[in-house]
Amino acid sequence: MLRIHCPWCGARDEIEFRCGGESHIERPEPDVSDATWAAYLFERDNPRGARAERWVHSAGCRQWFNLVRDTVTHEIHEVYRMGSRSIRLEKTNG
């Protein structure tokens, strides 16, 4: 079981949280094609290694936050509040 550090409540067991999928996805403009809209709704990257995800502390403070988790080892590298950017991913991606 993962131990996730909620930015508001501290470290808790994974069972108190729900994953909301990939973070930092930009919503397209309203006048895009159906294909572009479908891609936004349904197509996601599935990389090996570090990836930013949205999580909610559903059994606690109910706040959303981001975390960077390794998709192979499940190691959590960083937790940061919504509206912020990952320091780890900024260094990795340039």
Side-chain angles (χ1 to χ4, degrees), residues 22-35:
E22 187 177 350
S23 288
H24 311 296
I25 299 170
E26 292 187 31
R27 184 182 179 115
E29 295 297 322
D31 57 350
V32 297
S33 69
D34 288 345

Side-chain angles (χ1 to χ4, degrees), residues 3-12 16-18 53-58 60-68 76 78-84:
R3 282 290 278 179
I4 298 174
H5 182 85
C6 172
W8 292 270
C9 303
R12 302 285 195 270
E16 291 189 20
F17 300 88
R18 296 292 176 261
E53 301 173 324
R54 297 175 301 178
W55 285 74
V56 63
H57 192 178
S58 56
C61 64
R62 300 166 89 86
Q63 295 289 320
W64 284 89
F65 59 93
N66 295 308
L67 65 79
V68 177
I76 297 173
E78 182 182 6
V79 176
Y80 55 101
R81 292 183 181 203
M82 297 299 274
S84 301

Side-chain angles (χ1 to χ4, degrees), residues 22 43-49 51 69 71:
E22 187 177 350
E43 295 176 14
R44 296 289 180 258
D45 292 334
N46 191 16
R48 292 177 55 90
R51 141 188 186 132
R69 182 180 63 88
T71 60

